[in-house]
Amino acid sequence: MDTKKNIIQKNKSWAIILVAQFLLFYIMSKSDFAVNFFSQLFDWKKKWHIPLFSEISFSAGDVIYIITAALICYLILMSIKCRTAKYIKHLLIIGNIFYFTYQCFWGMLYFQAPLITKMKNKNISESDLKKLTIKYLNICKAERELLNEDKNGVFKVYDAEKIKNEILKQQKLLPKKICSKNPIQNLSIKPSLFNSFMNKTGILGYYNPFTSEAQYNPNIPSTQLPFTIAHEMSHQLGYAREQEASFIGFLCAKRSNSLELNYSADLYALKSLLRAVSVNDNVFRNRILSSFSDKMKKDREYEMKFIKANEGILSDFFGVTNDLFLKSNQQEGSVTYSYFVNLLVMYEI
Ligand SMILES: [Zn+2]
């Protein structure tokens, strides 16, 4: 057992390194040169980082998270029980390694120039939003007529692998003036090992910066599945901001011939537009919702049923923490959902 003074003395240097890292990355986030460097680093490292884990059939990143969480719990318990400096030192070393890797491989990408700066700046009017909402309603209605259903008449994706390959192909064809990132060569998108836990959290998917793997919850409704996969794979290209990943995923779907991918992405666009117009005109939103085709209404009912069945403390908690996480990463939490709408409208009009 060490004295309190001893514990502080023995761990001082690791604690100082951690604080120095916070400061250093904060300062670098303000420098265009440094942000550009990390953006280039990401483009270079994805050439080997993605293939490194792509052949593993399950999510290696999830296994790393489980082992690390178990190790951290063990070290915390031991440091409380034995009161020796070495357990705290190990905790600080893990903290330093994780923070450094996270910032180099991902965190700094949040400070890249926003995608919207590459597009023509236009003022978005209420009538633009409404016109686009009606356009996407009609697109979704037409697409939905041609899609596979389950025995309850709800849209069903039967082959997720085909969709993943289609997105990989479409990423290579993205317009260069919007997406200047190197395309990825290997598929590394996997069902999350935490999928039943994810049902309860409302999280559809996530990107692991340590393994470059993209994870998704395979249990989510089929209306959300193809677009979630496209969104997570956009993170692998190097788009950290949520709304930008959604927009790049949307562009991949836009040019694809896969109706399942089209419908999922166009429905996401429609829902985002409805959320945007509902701020000032709830009557219009309700009118559009009641104009959904019967098939679309069935899909919507199924989505609502899925959310309702998994509602609880966890989904509330993750809603809040996701909000805080986005805010701490230069995004504006749920409010920025309109950033996707901004990108969409600028692209469309
Ligand atoms: Zn995301």
Side-chain angles (χ1 to χ4, degrees):
M1 195 161 147
D2 288 316
T3 63
K4 203 173 170 186
K5 201 176 156 196
N6 247 344
I7 292 175
I8 294 171
Q9 200 59 37
K10 286 182 181 170
N11 291 310
K12 212 163 71 183
S13 47
W14 285 107
I16 290 171
I17 294 173
L18 192 57
V19 174
Q21 278 205 65
F22 291 150
L23 272 173
L24 184 68
F25 281 108
Y26 175 75
I27 293 165
M28 285 197 291
S29 73
K30 307 283 172 201
S31 149
D32 289 347
F33 177 79
V35 171
N36 199 30
F37 168 80
F38 284 103
S39 178
Q40 306 270 336
L41 177 76
F42 187 89
D43 243 11
W44 167 79
K45 71 104 192 152
K46 73 186 179 200
K47 282 186 218 147
W48 56 265
H49 202 192
I50 293 178
L52 195 62
F53 293 96
S54 69
E55 290 304 315
I56 304 171
S57 60
F58 57 88
S59 167
D62 286 355
V63 175
I64 292 174
Y65 281 154
I66 293 167
I67 293 171
T68 311
L71 184 64
I72 289 172
C73 289
Y74 169 77
L75 290 172
I76 291 172
L77 284 175
M78 291 308 281
S79 60
I80 295 168
K81 198 176 152 199
C82 308
R83 290 186 177 273
T84 50
K86 71 171 180 186
Y87 296 112
I88 297 171
K89 183 175 144 190
H90 290 154
L91 276 170
L92 283 167
I93 293 174
I94 291 174
N96 267 297
I97 293 171
F98 262 76
Y99 186 74
F100 182 78
T101 316
Y102 171 80
Q103 287 294 5
C104 289
F105 281 5
W106 191 241
M108 293 297 282
L109 297 195
Y110 283 102
F111 300 93
Q112 295 176 113
L115 209 51
I116 205 153
T117 54
K118 291 188 175 181
M119 301 170 86
K120 279 188 213 133
N121 204 3
K122 293 169 194 154
N123 282 330
I124 301 168
S125 69
E126 185 90 15
S127 92
D128 290 333
L129 280 181
K130 287 183 178 172
K131 264 187 224 154
L132 217 50
T133 309
I134 294 167
K135 178 181 165 182
Y136 274 89
L137 169 70
N138 291 328
I139 292 176
C140 289
K141 272 175 154 176
E143 285 166 351
R144 180 59 183 88
E145 288 306 309
L146 306 166
L147 290 167
N148 289 327
E149 294 173 349
D150 65 8
K151 60 179 186 330
N152 299 316
V154 176
F155 163 53
K156 176 92 182 157
V157 169
Y158 287 99
D159 189 355
E161 292 309 306
K162 205 169 136 193
I163 292 171
K164 293 176 191 175
N165 279 301
E166 173 62 17
I167 297 163
L168 194 67
K169 188 181 112 191
Q170 289 301 328
Q171 283 189 340
K172 297 183 173 80
L173 307 172
L174 283 166
K176 286 277 171 281
K177 66 175 180 7
I178 296 178
C179 172
S180 48
K181 309 272 184 203
N182 288 330
I184 51 178
Q185 306 299 336
N186 307 69
L187 270 186
S188 192
I189 171 124
K190 305 166 184 183
S192 167
L193 296 184
F194 310 117
N195 60 57
S196 37
F197 174 72
M198 281 174 84
N199 289 352
K200 303 275 175 207
T201 62
I203 297 172
L204 307 175
Y206 52 92
Y207 168 77
N208 186 321
F210 305 100
T211 59
S212 253
E213 294 168 295
Q215 281 76 203
Y216 63 97
N217 179 359
N219 305 327
I220 56 176
S222 286
T223 40
Q224 294 173 317
L225 188 69
F227 186 67
T228 298
I229 293 174
H231 169 103
E232 298 308 331
M233 286 176 70
S234 303
H235 283 317
Q236 288 179 312
L237 274 179
Y239 293 97
R241 294 188 185 95
E242 288 304 304
Q243 309 308 311
E244 292 184 357
S246 289
F247 183 64
I248 295 295
F250 171 81
L251 286 186
C252 287
K254 195 84 199 147
R255 286 144 191 269
S256 163
N257 290 324
S258 158
L259 265 178
E260 294 169 321
L261 183 57
N262 296 152
Y263 178 58
S264 181
D266 291 332
L267 195 61
Y268 177 84
L270 177 60
K271 284 192 262 184
S272 305
L273 287 161
L274 279 172
R275 208 175 295 133
V277 288
S278 70
V279 175
N280 290 324
D281 195 345
N282 230 351
V283 178
F284 178 83
R285 172 190 173 269
N286 293 339
R287 210 180 76 217
I288 297 290
L289 282 177
S290 60
S291 310
F292 274 26
S293 66
D294 290 344
K295 291 183 177 198
M296 282 173 73
K297 280 182 185 160
K298 271 197 178 150
D299 295 347
R300 189 173 142 80
E301 263 167 40
Y302 182 72
E303 273 185 13
M304 308 280 247
K305 230 166 86 183
F306 182 82
I307 295 170
K308 196 109 198 109
N310 292 298
E311 247 174 13
I313 302 165
L314 271 181
S315 57
D316 292 347
F317 174 75
F318 275 91
V320 173
T321 49
N322 197 34
D323 236 43
L324 287 175
F325 177 76
L326 297 178
K327 277 183 184 131
S328 68
N329 279 295
Q330 296 287 304
Q331 304 190 47
E332 292 162 42
S334 311
V335 186
T336 53
Y337 281 122
S338 61
Y339 180 31
F340 172 80
V341 171
N342 268 280
L343 289 166
L344 176 69
V345 177
M346 303 233 171
Y347 174 76
E348 285 277 357
I349 58 175

